[in-house]
Amino acid sequence: MSSLSILIPLSLGMGFVGLCAFLWALRANQFDDPEGNAWRVITLDGQSDADDPRDKGGDRDDHKASDAVNHDPDGR
């Protein structure tokens, strides 16, 4: 029973620390663009923002995302 008097406040304290960390991340805008960072990591060298496979506008509508990997604008 004496272990519960230690474990319950400890678990509540750890939950409070986790909540504080989450609120800090929320206020620090850590969740603004979770997908953008993932795409920036796999962007190939020499590829500009205009060649972004996520770009849905312009003349890129008929190209697949794999076209950017092959560096073939015709999609062959």
Side-chain angles (χ1 to χ4, degrees), residues 2 4 9-10 21-22 24 32 35 37 40 46 57-58 60 62 64 66 68 70-71 73 75-76:
S2 65
L4 288 179
L10 182 66
F22 173 73
W24 169 82
D32 277 354
E35 251 184 66
N37 291 331
R40 279 190 287 274
R60 294 286 298 172
D62 57 340
K64 294 181 247 175
S66 63
N70 296 330
H71 294 286
R76 292 185 207 152

Side-chain angles (χ1 to χ4, degrees), residues 3-64:
S3 63
L4 288 179
S5 63
I6 294 172
L7 292 176
I8 290 175
L10 182 66
S11 65
L12 289 175
M14 290 174 62
F16 181 72
V17 169
L19 179 64
C20 289
F22 173 73
L23 292 176
W24 169 82
L26 194 62
R27 288 184 183 154
N29 298 323
Q30 296 293 315
F31 304 112
D32 277 354
D33 189 18
E35 251 184 66
N37 291 331
W39 279 105
R40 279 190 287 274
V41 169
I42 61 172
T43 301
L44 299 172
D45 293 337
Q47 196 177 20
S48 67
D49 290 339
D51 296 336
D52 191 356
R54 296 176 297 146
D55 186 18
K56 303 263 192 271
D59 60 344
R60 294 286 298 172
D61 285 340
D62 57 340
H63 296 295
K64 294 181 247 175

